[in-house]
Amino acid sequence: MAYAKSGDYMTSLGAPAGRIVTSHPGAASARSPPIPIATMKLFNCTNCGNRVFFENLSCEACKSTLGYSTEERAMVAFQVTPEGIWNRAGSDGLAYRPCINTAEGVCNWLVPVDSAHQHCVSCRTTHTIPALSKPENRLYWGQLEQAKRRLFFTLLELGLPVPNKLEDPANGLSFEFLEDTSTEARVLTGHDEGVITLNIAEADDARREQIRLSMHEPYRTLLGHFRHEIGHYYWDRLIRGTNWIQECRALFGDESIDYAQSLQRHYANPPADWPQNFISVYASSHPWEDWAETWAHYLHMVDGLETAAAWGLHLDHAIPSGPSLVAQPLDLQASQIGATVIEQWLPVSQFINAMDRSLGSHDSYPFIVIAPVVSKLDFIHRVVQAARRGEAPMNFQLAEPAPALAPA
């Protein structure tokens, strides 16, 4: 099996989706105005001011080449010379060059010109890609990288570390994008000590939908996979061996119970009462999966509310016979987020699902969030908040110096 190496390193209408069932005591508490985690969910061309989007490679209005800067949190416009030099257009600022994977058609992020890296911060974590001798694999690779960049956007905004295994072998992240080679050699999506493996079949919309239906899942997306698997990584970094472990066990359960046996029981006979305590049936399989599923929903909520707020979403009928709502991003300074889940995410997710149904699509958020899940989301928020502020030590080993790199 041939693999190319990246250069730096080798719900139903009867049960309304988005419904939240809780009597969280903080629902009506007074809160300070939220401090947004970013103001960049709406992007504009820095040359002409036209609206552009996170995935764009060029501005449709002025034809400038675009690239996303993690330093500026902006889509920066460029005029590219015949010699391939990227000169900023319309604004002063840092000098950049494109991620080397831009030439492969799978990335639109930038690298500062004084950086020693050829890859952007996201592509730097990709270790293995599928053989590009198959034309469809380049498409799958691009879709996987695009979903990963959306993940990294949120992680960087949350202030969470995203080291790569090239520079930090003990603690870093590494992504393996693999394909099945036979019916007997299946690639399983999962996480192991910072290595996240994804089966590239998940980037094929038809195959992913077929898997979703066969497993009776209400939701299955590439971004959802990334958000779930990165949750396992941050459990290792933020929970394992830290002072959070006892509170985590009180909410999610004892992770020391046998994982393989738990999954075997889950697939044989999942608990019928799982909706009373978990965000999904898979979350009920083992405490690690409960954490990862809930972590993914925390990122769903962070990104969803930020987008709704950036677009100025105003709902006059957010709650029947209740006040109108102006969408607000998650307040990372808040000590609790139960009220945000109830007052903000509930009506916003219901609105999204209503729009989906109007357009003949599946619900984007086919989940019911109950009180125990709100408590788990609140715990994850406090863990992220402490990590962001540097108030709680993270579970990182001392990294040995990385070996010198040969030019890619």
Side-chain angles (χ1 to χ4, degrees):
M1 175 170 53
Y3 290 100
K5 303 289 186 178
S6 62
D8 270 359
Y9 182 41
M10 282 286 112
T11 142
S12 71
L13 289 171
R19 181 162 58 93
I20 298 178
V21 182
T22 180
S23 57
H24 194 281
S29 62
R31 303 185 310 285
S32 58
I35 299 175
I37 62 173
T39 57
M40 294 297 191
K41 265 304 185 186
L42 284 181
F43 297 100
N44 298 95
C45 172
T46 55
N47 184 46
C48 70
N50 184 57
R51 175 173 292 163
V52 296
F53 295 91
F54 190 63
E55 297 79 12
N56 285 164
L57 300 175
S58 63
C59 174
E60 291 297 320
C62 70
K63 308 305 179 185
S64 294
T65 298
L66 297 174
Y68 178 74
S69 162
T70 56
E71 290 76 18
E72 300 179 42
R73 298 187 299 178
M75 295 293 289
V76 181
F78 297 87
Q79 297 298 325
V80 182
T81 70
E83 296 75 27
I85 305 300
W86 286 41
N87 296 317
R88 289 185 71 124
S91 67
D92 296 327
L94 293 174
Y96 298 100
R97 47 186 163 81
C99 171
I100 196 171
N101 280 342
T102 300
E104 299 287 347
V106 298
C107 187
N108 68 340
W109 278 23
L110 302 169
V111 181
V113 292
D114 58 356
S115 172
H117 292 287
Q118 297 192 36
H119 292 80
C120 70
V121 66
S122 176
C123 289
R124 221 170 289 162
T125 61
T126 300
H127 176 257
T128 307
I129 63 174
L132 299 183
S133 56
K134 298 180 180 179
E136 65 272 20
N137 283 357
R138 184 178 294 276
L139 174 63
Y140 299 155
W141 177 30
Q143 291 176 339
L144 287 160
E145 293 290 358
Q146 181 172 296
K148 180 153 68 77
R149 289 195 299 276
R150 278 204 168 268
L151 169 70
F152 270 53
F153 175 93
T154 305
L155 297 177
L156 292 170
E157 295 297 338
L158 289 173
L160 293 172
V162 287
N164 62 78
K165 278 195 174 294
L166 172 67
E167 297 169 300
D168 190 351
N171 308 298
L173 278 163
S174 176
F175 289 85
E176 307 283 332
F177 299 149
L178 307 179
E179 63 180 332
D180 294 333
T181 56
S182 71
T183 56
E184 291 77 28
R186 296 287 188 183
V187 173
L188 299 179
T189 293
H191 167 268
D192 183 18
E193 296 294 337
V195 177
I196 293 177
T197 301
L198 279 93
N199 190 321
I200 65 168
E202 297 289 347
D204 183 323
D205 293 341
R207 293 170 70 184
R208 188 176 64 252
E209 178 65 5
Q210 184 180 37
I211 296 170
R212 184 188 73 82
L213 293 172
S214 69
M215 299 187 71
H216 307 289
E217 296 175 342
Y219 173 94
R220 192 180 186 95
T221 68
L222 269 184
L223 185 55
H225 279 309
F226 277 104
R227 286 173 172 167
H228 174 99
E229 298 304 335
I230 205 72
H232 289 298
Y233 170 77
Y234 284 111
W235 191 93
D236 288 349
R237 300 281 76 82
L238 304 178
I239 302 297
R240 182 176 65 183
T242 72
N243 292 333
W244 293 110
I245 189 65
Q246 293 305 322
E247 187 176 357
C248 185
R249 287 172 176 167
L251 287 167
F252 296 91
D254 185 355
E255 80 290 345
S256 66
I257 63 174
D258 189 272
Y259 181 75
Q261 291 181 9
S262 295
L263 285 190
Q264 188 176 28
R265 285 194 300 269
H266 165 74
Y267 286 117
N269 186 28
D273 63 348
W274 70 263
Q276 304 305 312
N277 293 287
F278 303 96
I279 190 63
S280 69
V281 64
Y282 189 56
S284 70
S285 63
H286 188 274
W288 278 336
E289 299 306 339
D290 191 12
W291 162 274
E293 286 284 272
T294 310
W295 174 279
H297 281 263
Y298 180 74
L299 298 189
H300 290 336
M301 182 175 62
V302 167
D303 223 27
L305 287 179
E306 184 189 352
T307 299
W311 281 81
L313 181 65
H314 181 112
L315 301 176
D316 285 332
H317 305 289
I319 300 173
S321 302
S324 61
L325 174 139
V326 176
Q328 299 289 339
L330 185 72
D331 179 7
L332 284 187
Q333 310 305 317
S335 59
Q336 297 181 358
I337 61 167
T340 298
V341 176
I342 297 164
E343 298 169 6
Q344 288 279 329
W345 185 233
L346 164 61
V348 168
S349 61
Q350 287 183 336
F351 169 73
I352 294 169
N353 289 340
M355 287 295 296
D356 288 331
R357 297 178 187 190
S358 295
L359 297 173
S361 185
H362 298 297
D363 287 359
S364 294
Y365 195 76
F367 303 97
I368 298 175
V369 183
I370 58 174
V373 174
V374 174
S375 297
K376 295 171 188 178
L377 288 166
D378 192 75
F379 173 73
I380 288 173
H381 171 74
R382 289 187 286 112
V383 171
V384 170
Q385 184 185 59
R388 177 184 175 92
R389 292 175 172 175
E391 296 173 349
M394 298 187 205
N395 184 27
F396 279 84
Q397 302 175 36
L398 293 176
E400 297 180 358
L405 298 178

